[in-house]
């Protein structure tokens, strides 16, 4: 049993295995887990997730609302941790805050999801914005 656990643990610790293979812009990605409730624990959201494969990489996306003057700074800070802005859908609205979706590929578990959620909430708050929630995408399961 140790032989099976060690490679999986190694992949989680050093994040070098399959993550580079998952393109966040793939057309077959679907939302497999999400939470837009500040009071909901990531572990609860992941428990109720449908179609999530925990040993496979996922695209973790954080949905932020940031004043336009801070968007570039927020994206630059998040890039230091491997996040990139997702392509924008739609145009500018009447809201004074701009929607920014920051995403990166990673293995998803409750601890790391919670840590990243907290990090993104702090980043948004320090730049006069807020974090609305997160979701995770993986390729659609084949029947």
């Amino acid at each position: 049993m140790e032989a099976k656990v060690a490679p999986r643990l190694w992949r989680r610790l050093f994040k070098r295995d399959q993550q580079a293979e998952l393109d966040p812009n793939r057309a077959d990605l679907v939302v497999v887990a999400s939470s837009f409730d500040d009071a909901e624990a990531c572990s609860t959201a992941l428990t109720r997730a449908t179609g999530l494969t925990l040993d496979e990489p996922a695209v973790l996306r954080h949905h932020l609302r940031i004043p336009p003057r801070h968007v570039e700074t927020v994206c630059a800070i998040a890039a230091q941790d491997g996040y990139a802005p997702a392509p924008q859908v739609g145009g500018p609205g009447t809201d004074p805050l701009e929607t920014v979706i920051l995403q990166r590929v990673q293995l998803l578990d409750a601890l790391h999801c919670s840590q990243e959620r907290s990090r993104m909430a702090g980043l948004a708050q320090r730049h006069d914005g807020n974090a609305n929630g997160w979701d995770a995408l993986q390729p659609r399961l084949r029947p």
Side-chain angles (χ1 to χ4, degrees):
M1 181 154 167
E2 283 184 29
K4 291 181 182 179
V5 174
R8 199 167 100 198
L9 179 60
W10 182 261
R11 281 194 309 264
R12 282 189 180 262
L13 289 174
F14 295 99
K15 299 180 183 180
R16 291 185 181 167
D17 191 50
Q18 300 172 350
Q19 285 129 350
E21 296 176 20
L22 181 60
D23 178 3
N25 299 315
R26 286 175 54 165
D28 65 338
L29 293 178
V30 295
V31 175
V32 293
S34 66
S35 179
F36 289 84
D37 179 355
D38 287 341
E40 182 178 43
C42 289
S43 58
T44 303
L46 292 175
T47 299
R48 70 174 163 74
T50 56
L52 175 65
T53 306
L54 290 174
D55 289 337
E56 295 293 324
V59 178
L60 179 59
R61 301 188 312 179
H62 298 277
H63 299 253
L64 310 178
R65 304 281 295 145
I66 307 292
R69 69 184 184 279
H70 292 301
V71 169
E72 188 176 322
T73 301
V74 166
C75 290
I77 292 170
Q80 295 172 9
D81 290 320
Y83 284 95
Q88 292 289 343
V89 177
T94 58
D95 191 338
L97 298 179
E98 186 175 325
T99 298
V100 177
I101 300 174
L102 296 173
Q103 64 184 13
R104 78 173 181 188
V105 176
Q106 67 180 66
L107 290 174
L108 197 59
D109 61 43
L111 174 64
H112 293 104
C113 184
S114 180
Q115 288 172 337
E116 293 305 312
R117 176 176 139 183
S118 178
R119 179 178 294 157
M120 289 297 158
L123 177 62
Q125 186 177 27
R126 285 190 308 276
H127 293 89
D128 303 323
N130 58 57
N132 289 349
W134 62 270
D135 58 15
L137 293 82
Q138 284 183 325
R140 183 182 315 274
L141 291 176
R142 307 277 186 239

